Every structure is written in structure tokens, then in C-alpha cells.
């Protein structure tokens, strides 16, 4: 298959690209390489897949990988650039699209709301339009566990309602799911949304908690522990997330033949639309998570205990049984093992 991966210089996207190439797909990667965090890390991810920083820096120019050849080409482009996206879809004939390009970060959305509308809403409509106008067989897109918001019923199931997001980031992800369903119903476009649960691992974003904690501990600075460490997260290792994404690309939804209009299921539809959780199904207390990092580093952290931050939720806890049923896969990486690999990568990448 020929597959477009947006956000291909990002954390999850860079891993997905390599996994698709390993299984024999042809991949076009797209990213705008914005400066939300250090672009050096994004260029390093691209370089790891054979895309040089010099070539990747150029806008609207296809770059061929020095490792994978014509099987992997990269283009620097904004999702919200409507004309460029139309030309990309018209010229490349994608069989499937994996949309991982988005403005990330819950707390950043509090102070920079417009960035989320431009990338996550305007950009996503361009992806949807490209798919429906160019016979794309399947659109897989990133949603987020944050859409569950104030839902207190755990574990979180795709069959639960998501009426009360608590951050603009979460609201844009919920909007993506609604927009995708509309296109599935109107144009018979198969779409699958994946709600990721607290992804971590090597090459991760520097604004994410593991890297903030690792960097602070290694440099003898205190770490910020919100809500006094009394939060639960379903930490999911990057390899598990990627395996779920790649497998689900081949599972094209056809619509729920048992749809009940009187009791509608939020996860399915008579249209070719589906929502899945991808999570480890083992929520961990934040303080226990920190202990895993301390163990991997061999040093206890200094801690500043702070109140809950705006936009945060108390716990995330995935029910990923539906994903396991259709793909035969469920996340399985033990937390300490994943943390050990993450710390090892961090030390090597930053020459510590």
C-alpha cells in the first residue's frame, strides 16, 4: 500500500513510518516541523529514517530517504494549507492515510488556543477532503484519552459518552471524531479514530512528563508533582501504540449492521466508522511511575508538590478489549521495562 503519514517528524509518527516501511509499504511523510518544542529532535527523528535536515528544511519539496530510497519520501507542509493538500492528494494516489499531525499538549492549549483550531480542525478538514475526493480506502486518525474529560466511569470504554472535555485540546479531538463520522456517513469514507492513552518511550516529546522528570533528576533539579502525585495514568509504551496503529490500518470498518437508533453506540455507526482505545489497561499512580524512573536512573528525585493543573484529569484507564478483538493485539510492555529503555535513550541522545 501507499500510505500518507502526517506528523511523520513527531514522536508517534516517526515510529509508525519505520514500522510501515519494515512491513513493505510505500510511505509519504508530512510534517511542518514547527517549533512547539525543539526542532532539533524532530530533525533527528527524520535523520534516523534517512531524511537529512538540510533537505527536510525546504518547504513543499519531496525528499527521498537515504535509507529506504523511493519507498519513503518526506515533504514539509502545513496541514492547514488547503491548496497544497489538494495537490498532494491528487498527485500521490494514497491507499490509506494515518493522520497523526496535530498541535499536541493539554496545558499549551490553555494559552495558545488558536494553534489548536488551525492545526487540529482546519488541518483535519483538509485531510478529510483529500481522502473523500481521491478514493482513499481508509483514514486512521489520532484521537486522545483526554476526550473522556469528566467521565468518572472506569475503565474508559469507547461505548461511554464524551460530552464533557476539560481542555480545548480534548475538544478538538472530540471534534475530529464528529467530523470523521459525518464524512463516513455522507461519503461512505471508512474512518477509524484511535484514542491514545499516555504514550511514552524513546524519542518522545521533551514537554512530556518522563523527559521532564528524567532531565530534572539527572541534573539534580526538583520535579513538579501535580495534585501531590495523586493521579492515575494508563502509561502505554510507544511500541504498543505503533503496533496497534499499523494493525488497525488493515481493519477497514464497514458499519454496524446491528445499529440501534434508540440506543446509539458512540463507538460505532451504520456508516463505516469506528473508535478504539489503545491503552495499557493498567493505570499507575503518578508516584509509582516516578519510582520507576528513580529506579532506572539510580537516584531519588527532589519533589515539589503542586495542585492539579487546569485541563488535567484525575485518572485515565483504558478498556482496549475492542482493539484486541479485531487485531489480535493488546499492549503488553511492562512499565519498568519501558521506562528503562526510555532513560537509556535519553542519556545516549543527550550525551549524558
Amino acid at each position: 500500500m501507499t500510505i500518507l503519514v502526517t506528523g511523520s517528524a513527531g514522536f508517534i509518527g516517526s515510529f509508525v513510518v519505520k514500522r510501515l516501511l519494515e512491513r513493505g509499504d510505500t510511505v509519504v511523510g508530512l510534517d511542518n516541523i514547527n517549533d512547539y518544542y525543539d526542532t532539533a529532535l524532530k530533525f533527528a527523528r527524520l535523520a534516523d529514517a534517512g531524511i537529512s535536515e538540510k533537505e527536510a528544511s525546504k518547504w513543499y519539496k519531496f525528499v527521498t530517504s537515504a535509507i529506504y530510497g523511493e519507498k519513503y519520501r518526506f515533504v514539509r507542509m502545513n496541514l492547514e494549507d488547503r491548496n497544497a493538500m489538494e495537490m498532494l492528494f491528487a498527485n500521490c494516489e494514497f491507499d490509506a492515510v494515518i493522520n497523526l499531525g496535530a498541535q499536541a499538549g493539554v496545558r499549551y492549549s490553555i494559552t495558545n488556543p488558536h494553534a489548536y483550531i488551525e492545526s487540529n480542525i482546519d488541518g483535519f478538514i483538509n485531510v478529510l477532503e483529500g481522502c473523500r475526493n481521491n478514493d482513499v480506502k481508509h483514514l486512521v486518525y489520532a484521537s486522545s484519552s483526554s476526550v473522556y474529560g469528566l467521565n468518572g466511569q472506569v475503565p474508559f470504554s469507547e461505548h461511554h459518552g464524551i460530552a464533557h472535555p476539560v481542555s480545548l485540546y480534548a475538544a478538538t479531538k472530540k471534534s475530529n471524531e464528529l467530523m470523521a463520522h459525518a464524512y463516513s456517513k455522507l461519503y461512505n469514507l471508512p474512518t477509524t479514530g484511535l484514542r491514545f492513552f499516555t504514550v511514552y518511550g524513546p524519542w518522545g516529546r521533551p514537554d512530556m512528563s518522563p523527559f521532564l522528570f528524567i532531565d530534572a533528576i539527572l541534573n539534580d533539579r526538583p520535579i513538579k508533582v501535580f495534585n501531590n502525585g495523586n493521579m492515575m495514568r494508563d502509561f502505554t509504551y510507544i511500541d504498543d501504540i505503533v503496533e496497534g496503529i499499523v494493525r488497525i490500518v488493515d481493519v477497514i470498518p464497514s458499519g454496524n449492521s446491528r445499529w440501534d437508533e434508540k440506543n446509539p453506540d458512540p463507538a460505532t455507526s451504520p456508516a463505516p466508522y469506528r473508535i478504539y482505545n489503545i491503552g495499557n489497561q493498567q493505570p499507575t499512580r503518578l508516584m509509582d511511575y516516578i519510582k520507576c524512573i528513580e529506579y532506572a536512573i539510580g537516584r531519588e528525585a527532589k519533589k515539589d508538590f503542586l495542585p492539579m493543573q487546569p485541563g488535567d484529569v484525575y485518572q485515565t484507564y483504558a478498556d482496549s478489549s475492542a482493539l484486541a478483538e479485531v487485531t489480535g493485539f493488546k499492549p503488553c510492555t511492562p512499565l519498568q521495562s519501558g521506562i528503562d529503555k526510555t532513560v537509556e535513550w535519553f542519556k545516549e541522545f543527550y550525551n549524558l
Side-chain angles (χ1 to χ4, degrees):
M1 286 196 295
T2 298
I3 302 176
L4 171 65
V5 178
T6 71
S8 61
F11 174 32
I12 299 174
S14 60
F15 276 88
V16 168
V17 165
K18 294 175 74 173
R19 180 70 177 82
L20 291 171
L21 290 165
E22 287 169 1
R23 78 169 195 170
D25 293 303
T26 297
V27 178
V28 173
L30 179 154
D31 204 293
N32 66 359
I33 318 178
N34 67 26
D35 60 359
Y36 167 59
Y37 59 85
D38 187 5
T39 58
L41 178 57
K42 299 181 180 184
F43 283 119
R45 294 188 189 120
L46 289 170
D48 195 54
I51 304 294
S52 73
E53 178 175 347
K54 180 179 179 181
E55 292 300 312
S57 298
K58 301 173 183 178
W59 288 87
Y60 306 107
K61 180 181 182 296
F62 280 105
V63 182
T64 301
S65 168
I67 297 173
Y68 301 101
E70 290 292 333
K71 296 289 286 185
Y72 180 36
R73 293 183 299 155
F74 172 82
V75 61
R76 187 177 189 183
M77 186 184 296
N78 281 317
L79 286 177
E80 55 266 36
D81 188 330
R82 178 178 173 182
N83 291 334
M85 290 292 288
E86 288 177 351
M87 292 180 63
L88 177 70
F89 273 89
N91 292 329
C92 291
E93 298 183 356
F94 301 118
D95 298 299
V97 173
I98 301 175
N99 184 56
L100 303 171
Q103 179 58 57
V106 169
R107 291 170 192 154
Y108 189 72
S109 70
I110 304 295
T111 54
N112 296 273
H114 294 288
Y116 290 78
I117 300 303
E118 292 166 3
S119 180
N120 300 8
I121 303 298
D122 295 344
F124 192 62
I125 193 66
N126 290 336
V127 172
L128 287 168
E129 280 287 283
C131 289
R132 74 108 166 177
N133 287 320
N134 294 278
D135 196 30
V136 170
K137 305 296 189 298
H138 193 191
L139 167 62
V140 176
Y141 61 95
S143 187
S144 167
S145 63
S146 64
V147 299
Y148 288 106
L150 295 179
N151 175 34
Q153 185 179 354
V154 293
F156 295 154
S157 168
E158 304 95 334
H159 308 293
H160 294 167
I162 54 168
H164 302 97
V166 294
S167 70
L168 182 63
Y169 170 72
T172 63
K173 290 301 185 179
K174 177 181 177 180
S175 298
N176 287 171
E177 295 182 5
L178 296 172
M179 294 162 70
H181 182 266
Y183 270 67
S184 293
K185 184 68 173 68
L186 288 169
Y187 308 114
N188 203 38
L189 171 65
T191 66
T192 300
L194 299 174
R195 294 173 180 168
F196 301 145
F197 279 71
T198 317
V199 190
Y200 75 100
W203 294 99
R205 299 198 328 258
D207 65 316
M208 299 170 72
S209 63
F211 299 100
L212 294 173
F213 291 162
I214 293 167
D215 184 54
I217 295 170
L218 287 172
N219 290 284
D220 202 32
R221 299 194 310 272
I223 64 173
K224 295 179 179 179
V225 183
F226 295 107
N227 201 37
N228 296 311
N230 187 28
M231 292 193 290
M232 304 285 288
R233 290 291 181 268
D234 205 346
F235 297 103
T236 312
Y237 190 61
I238 182 63
D239 288 358
D240 292 332
I241 291 288
V242 171
E243 188 63 28
I245 294 171
V246 172
R247 291 198 187 197
I248 209 67
V249 169
D250 300 326
V251 182
I252 300 177
S254 58
N256 183 355
S257 60
R258 299 180 179 180
W259 177 258
D260 184 351
E261 291 184 352
K262 295 181 179 179
N263 295 288
D265 176 9
T268 66
S269 169
Y273 166 89
R274 195 65 169 88
I275 297 292
Y276 295 101
N277 291 333
I278 303 185
N280 202 39
Q281 303 187 102
Q282 295 183 24
T284 302
R285 271 188 81 242
L286 180 59
M287 291 304 296
D288 293 330
Y289 176 66
I290 292 170
K291 287 178 181 177
C292 288
I293 296 176
E294 292 173 328
Y295 180 83
I297 294 175
R299 186 186 307 173
E300 187 174 348
K302 298 177 181 177
K303 303 174 183 71
D304 283 345
F305 292 98
L306 300 168
M308 183 85 86
Q309 294 293 286
D312 274 353
V313 296
Y314 165 65
Q315 67 179 329
T316 63
Y317 181 0
D319 174 356
S320 297
S321 58
L323 179 74
E325 182 178 346
V326 298
T327 65
F329 171 78
K330 61 180 180 180
C332 56
T333 304
L335 181 61
Q336 188 64 63
S337 174
I339 289 294
D340 290 345
K341 294 174 183 177
T342 304
V343 170
E344 181 181 358
W345 171 84
F346 187 95
K347 289 179 176 179
E348 181 178 347
F349 185 80
Y350 291 103
N351 296 313
L352 299 176

